[in-house]
Amino acid sequence: MYAIVEIAGQQFKVEEGQEIFTNRLAGDLDAALVFDKVLLVDNAGAISVGAPTVNGASVKATIVEHLKGEKVIVFRKKRRKGYEKKNGHRQALTKVKIDAIVA
């Protein structure tokens, strides 16, 4: 059984027991979350597609940890002008464990 759910503006294909990384979510460690924007549910071949969401479907999850992603280097340069700018960014992430899919 899997579901496609919208979490923090992004769509994820999730299964029970799976751990995913999302953009930073509000909440403490081991806090329970419920995601109601379920777009599709596949239950052993029986597919339910929402318009836009599946009625009565939800995904229950738990926050495992808050962390930062890998550093991304942004380097800008204009040739022959002496212009160089280097900047780095680390995205704030939340690791979430999917506990149950209710359909």
Side-chain angles (χ1 to χ4, degrees), residues 2-64:
Y2 72 88
I4 296 178
V5 63
E6 184 177 331
I7 303 171
Q10 295 179 320
Q11 295 178 7
F12 294 94
K13 179 182 176 183
V14 297
E15 297 177 2
E16 292 183 12
Q18 182 181 10
E19 292 183 344
I20 59 172
F21 293 96
T22 67
N23 288 330
R24 181 66 56 97
L25 299 173
D28 297 329
L29 296 180
D30 297 328
L33 302 172
V34 177
F35 303 114
D36 293 329
K37 289 190 175 183
V38 178
L39 306 174
L40 182 139
V41 175
D42 182 6
N43 190 0
I47 298 175
S48 300
V49 179
T53 60
V54 179
N55 291 332
S58 64
V59 174
K60 296 180 181 176
T62 305
I63 295 177
V64 177

Side-chain angles (χ1 to χ4, degrees), residues 31-103:
L33 302 172
V34 177
F35 303 114
D36 293 329
K37 289 190 175 183
V38 178
L39 306 174
L40 182 139
V41 175
D42 182 6
N43 190 0
I47 298 175
S48 300
V49 179
T53 60
V54 179
N55 291 332
S58 64
V59 174
K60 296 180 181 176
T62 305
I63 295 177
V64 177
E65 66 177 318
H66 296 293
L67 61 144
K68 286 187 175 183
E70 293 184 12
K71 180 168 258 195
V72 177
I73 303 296
V74 179
F75 184 74
R76 297 185 179 114
K77 178 179 180 175
K78 295 188 179 178
R79 62 184 188 163
R80 299 187 298 271
K81 304 297 180 194
Y83 173 78
E84 290 183 355
K85 190 173 224 177
K86 183 178 178 183
N87 195 357
H89 175 75
R90 292 185 70 186
Q91 184 69 31
L93 301 173
T94 299
K95 188 175 184 181
V96 175
K97 183 172 192 244
I98 305 301
D99 296 327
I101 299 173
V102 178

